[in-house]
Amino acid sequence: MSGGKSGPPRLPFLVTVGVTGHRAEALETYDAPAIARRMRAILETVGETAQQVGASAGRFFRDTPPELRLLSPIADGADQIAAECALDLGWDLQVVLPFARVTYRASLSDGSARKRFDQLVERASAVLELTGDGSSRTEGYVMAGRATVAHCDLLLAVWDGEPARGPGGTGDVVQLALTRGTGVIHCHPEEARTTELLWSAFDPEVLTLTHDVGVVRPFDRANLEIALRGLLLPPPDADEARFLAGYYGERRRRIRTRIEYPLMLAMAGVSRFGAKDFRERHFSAQSRDEWQRHRSGCGDARATRATADLLEEAYNWADSLAAHFAQTYRSGHIFGFILGGLAVCIGLSAFMAPWWKMEFAGIELVITFAIILNAWVGTKQEWHRRWLDYRQLAERLRPMRSLKLLGLAAPDPQGTATNPTARRWIEFYASSVWRAIGCPTAALDKGRAAKLAIAIADYEVAPQVAYHRRNAERVEKLDQRLETVGFALFLATLVISLATVVGMAIGAQFIDRFGDWFTLVSAGFPALGTAVFGIRFQADFGGDALRSMATAATLGRIDEEMRRDVTLPRAADLTEQAARVMLADLDEWRLVNQQRELEFG
């Protein structure tokens, strides 16, 4: 059943350009007005190309005009020039400051730069202050560069091409952007030098270094369009486009009609069977409560409430659909295996009641048809693929709420390290959600960073540790009990077969009296035992338990580290690693399960 007409949220087509570059004193030897003209022309080209790319892919995005955003530290020099050009062109401005606002303002070169700073901050839609521990200016610049790369798709680098003069310099930021798959527009301060576009996907076979020839192309509309399509659009594969369209067309199921899996859990004594197994509302309420606990526990989440709403909506859709199709697919497997075993028993029952032979044949025919129909419908409706896709999407989205709070943390880029373009529609959608959230507004000093790290440990990492431990215990118990049932069925078969052999050898009368029943047990019980074995094999409960325990152990160590009065960069590193661990567990789980489509029992 459908729960309303609306489906999963479509996302805006949005391009974010970050800025890094020389300060005013370093640009004094160059033609500053010419640099400003070139930067404006670059932003105009990006905007016009983005409009073109967005118009060609409108079916994948929200029906709104493309959005253009600039992310700048607004230091005197290239940062302020770019910010003013962007605002003049109608772009949104978001600001990343390497120090507290007052401290950073005081570091600017003169009164004119401070006045421009004040005006830009006033017009910014978000301001992130990375105050660190206050003892190292270098740390602030490193964090600002990392935060800029974390939230942009393209990096505009006004740079002479020389190695960084220290940590956090323009050269370091460019290298970070390239290794994370961000496109870099290199605008040399000398007007005679050609502007270049650097992107690691231009040379997808190796990890990129700054001066690798393979990643460098002229900055023009053709090359920029290639980069924007790779960075912002879903993969060109027709199946992936169909899967994405199917996701947008999903509707909530208020009632879950396939209950075989929760029934099996209840019969095995693993969980209770009740209304929660029929109603989507119960699951959605649990998800909302968990999200609210995270919001209230991580108090800084309120700084990004509007954008967090979009992330929560996207996550809840993916999570709810994944749970629905998990129960549907697993129930379909149990249905096929169990009815396959019962069909054998029904067929053998005709020996005991030959006068009902026609009825038994009819029942066996209905069961066989039901097995075939179940497998056909499950394959046609792609229960298996939708379950795996939606679960992967949900688990890519979940940690974003914590990563975003830390300002400079980010999920791993889409695709691979050498080719950062989306391979699956899931990667495209998750990246689009991250992009739409934008840069948070916060002032993150060392004390707040340490408290936030503990809150993330409490409300993100620790719950995942607890979940994996519970899951390991539950599925291991289920696997053991199914193993006991299967063993009992085969043991009963052995006993009956032995009794039959002995009875026939001594000419016992019970063979003639109960021979048909012995035949039913000796042939039917192995069929049921094989069905139980098939359920265990397809579900891989034992492997699932081992993976969950390994993931819980790794996340547990990260949880401990996050409680050690950490700095902001350390908190970001640990939260990124936690997200990476959770996703690695999920990738391994998908690899195990993706070949296990519904079969005919």
Side-chain angles (χ1 to χ4, degrees), residues 449-467:
K451 291 178 182 177
L452 192 51
I454 293 173
I456 291 172
D458 286 339
Y459 294 97
E460 189 77 75
V461 182
Q464 284 295 300
V465 173
Y467 162 77

Side-chain angles (χ1 to χ4, degrees), residues 60 182 312 352 404 526:
F60 298 124
T182 303
E312 181 178 0
M352 295 169 298
K404 189 63 73 171

Side-chain angles (χ1 to χ4, degrees), residues 10 18 51 92 172 223 232 234 290 452 518:
R10 289 178 180 263
Q51 295 280 349
D92 176 48
D172 278 357
N223 288 319
L232 306 178
E290 190 273 336
L452 192 51
F518 286 0

Side-chain angles (χ1 to χ4, degrees), residues 303-421:
T304 56
R305 180 179 299 276
T307 50
D309 288 343
L310 172 62
L311 175 59
E312 181 178 0
E313 182 186 8
Y315 169 78
N316 284 339
W317 268 100
D319 194 38
S320 175
L321 290 169
H324 168 78
F325 284 106
Q327 182 168 316
T328 301
Y329 166 77
R330 286 165 167 164
S331 294
H333 253 307
I334 293 167
F335 180 91
F337 279 114
I338 295 300
L339 260 68
L342 287 176
V344 175
C345 295
I346 293 295
L348 293 171
S349 297
F351 288 106
M352 295 169 298
W355 52 90
W356 285 347
K357 188 173 183 178
M358 182 65 73
E359 287 80 357
F360 284 134
I363 294 172
E364 188 174 8
L365 177 64
V366 170
I367 290 176
T368 303
F369 177 76
I371 293 171
I372 295 173
L373 181 63
N374 175 70
W376 182 82
V377 171
T379 302
K380 186 75 172 177
Q381 296 187 356
E382 298 183 292
W383 296 341
H384 183 248
R385 196 270 307 164
R386 289 156 89 180
W387 165 39
L388 297 180
D389 277 5
Y390 300 163
R391 177 48 57 202
Q392 276 208 313
L393 177 58
E395 298 311 315
R396 282 179 179 273
L397 296 174
R398 184 203 301 271
M400 288 184 183
R401 59 189 180 181
S402 296
L403 292 167
K404 189 63 73 171
L405 295 179
L406 291 166
L408 49 85
D412 285 343
Q414 61 186 6
T416 64
T418 59
N419 187 17
T421 58

